[in-house]
Amino acid sequence: MQRERVADDIYVFTSERYAQVTAGAVVTDEGAILIDTLLFPEETKAIKNYLENRLDCVVKYVINTHYHADHTYGTCLFPNAMIVGHRLCYDLLDTRGREGLEQAQHGTSELDDVQIALPHVVFDSRTINVCLGDKTVQLWHSPGHSPDSIVCLVKEDRVLFAADTLMALPYFVDGSYDDFVQSLHALQNNSFENIVQGHGEVILRGEIEDKIASDLRYLAAIKKHAETASTKSDPERYLDGIDIERCGKSRIPLSGTVQALHRENLRSLYRQLAGEMLEMR
Ligand SMILES: [Zn+2]
């Protein structure tokens, strides 16, 4: 796992085992606020060990940015922390999260000790602040990647943990295309110092607006292709021919897995649009 310091008291941990998923720690005199907890306990334990033994800082709050396994499985390793998430995160962890864990545990003994840990504090449409020591982390709903996605702003440093609202490629198959577009617009022109993505590298101040604009252009491009597909005799074949680079994105990030995400995006959006057209008839 890689460790990086993005401000005096803010650390980012990036998994070397699963899709460069990130977790963050905001460190104060009174303890740490941990944002997401990775997938494999081995890596989460390394974070815990670093914070507790190297920085002498106990995790007081765990924030779950959304219910997906790669962001939440480590939460159970912090039984004394107050867990915070969106109300929908609670519901989805309790249902799909439990089902997914059971399946995952059949696949590997490494997850044997993982348990679903539900948020103790949930919020809905308004923003809430998690305050500890001299830091304030503001949370708000940012749906699109998943229905329960949130983002977390460390107000004093203007560092945003965007979770999967920002990653190498917008990915909305478990969420909603329209929500994603809205959530990205909400992140524009906020003068963030830097943004920690849910997967991949930290985005620096000078790159933020370009990155968001590029994601919005990508989403517009795939919508155009999904609409064109519905006029074709073989829509699936048409969509298979729409390369990620034709939509303005590189095929390289996340070890090339973005290409599979792109394909799923196109199919999911096409199905959604086709469904809407059927309803209109
Ligand atoms: Zn996710």
Side-chain angles (χ1 to χ4, degrees):
M1 189 184 49
Q2 286 176 14
R3 188 181 68 240
E4 186 181 350
R5 201 170 178 175
V6 293
D8 276 350
D9 311 308
I10 304 178
Y11 296 81
V12 175
F13 304 90
T14 306
S15 172
E16 289 174 315
R17 294 197 49 200
Y18 184 82
Q20 292 173 51
V21 61
T22 62
V26 182
V27 170
T28 78
D29 289 344
E30 291 179 30
I33 301 168
L34 185 63
I35 300 165
D36 281 346
T37 55
L38 305 187
L39 178 66
F40 291 111
E42 176 207 15
E43 290 193 313
T44 314
K45 282 177 189 162
I47 296 176
K48 191 176 180 187
N49 185 36
Y50 179 76
L51 293 172
E52 288 183 357
N53 299 328
R54 294 278 297 280
L55 303 184
D56 197 22
C57 188
V58 171
V59 173
K60 294 281 175 65
Y61 289 95
V62 170
I63 296 169
N64 287 154
T65 63
H66 60 300
Y67 78 101
H68 288 165
D70 48 337
H71 298 259
T72 54
Y73 277 6
T75 305
C76 61
L77 291 167
F78 302 91
N80 298 318
M82 179 83 78
I83 308 167
V84 185
H86 194 271
R87 182 180 53 79
L88 293 172
C89 178
Y90 182 105
D91 296 344
L92 289 165
L93 272 173
D94 204 19
T95 50
R96 288 191 220 165
R98 289 193 196 284
E99 290 159 23
L101 175 61
E102 216 182 290
Q103 282 176 14
Q105 283 173 331
H106 287 302
T108 168
S109 61
E110 212 181 336
L111 299 174
D112 279 356
D113 295 332
V114 173
Q115 291 175 349
I116 296 295
L118 296 174
H120 303 107
V121 177
V122 296
F123 68 104
D124 222 305
S125 50
R126 294 175 200 201
T127 66
I128 62 162
N129 292 333
V130 175
C131 305
L132 187 66
D134 56 353
K135 298 289 185 188
T136 309
V137 181
Q138 186 176 46
L139 317 181
W140 68 90
H141 195 200
S142 179
H145 169 72
S146 63
D148 61 332
S149 282
I150 62 169
V151 294
C152 317
L153 174 67
V154 187
K155 285 181 113 175
E156 291 76 13
D157 304 87
R158 296 210 61 77
V159 171
L160 183 80
F161 285 85
D164 290 356
T165 299
L166 281 182
M167 49 189 274
L169 192 77
Y171 182 61
F172 54 83
V173 169
D174 187 33
S176 141
Y177 175 92
D178 291 336
D179 285 349
F180 212 127
V181 171
Q182 256 189 32
S183 290
L184 281 175
H185 279 300
L187 295 185
Q188 288 182 304
N189 304 314
N190 272 292
S191 56
F192 297 124
E193 196 54 41
N194 43 44
I195 295 187
V196 181
Q197 306 188 87
H199 298 260
E201 283 158 21
V202 174
I203 308 169
L204 305 177
R205 186 171 48 184
E207 307 163 342
I208 292 171
E209 297 307 325
D210 284 352
K211 161 66 179 162
I212 298 172
S214 150
D215 284 3
L216 285 166
R217 276 198 304 276
Y218 167 79
L219 290 171
I222 61 169
K223 185 157 192 185
K224 215 180 74 203
H225 288 301
E227 281 165 356
T228 308
S230 48
T231 67
K232 303 284 179 189
S233 57
D234 189 346
E236 304 266 321
R237 204 170 135 223
Y238 171 79
L239 290 175
D240 283 345
I242 308 301
D243 184 273
I244 188 169
E245 278 162 349
R246 271 178 73 187
C247 301
K249 288 289 187 185
S250 162
R251 56 176 58 241
I252 295 166
L254 304 182
S255 314
T257 45
V258 285
Q259 291 176 78
L261 303 184
H262 167 66
R263 207 141 296 282
E264 288 177 41
N265 275 341
L266 273 172
R267 283 172 180 260
S268 154
L269 185 56
Y270 164 72
R271 277 196 299 270
Q272 193 191 314
L273 293 173
E276 280 168 17
M277 279 191 291
L278 276 178
E279 272 172 30
M280 270 157 54
R281 268 179 212 153

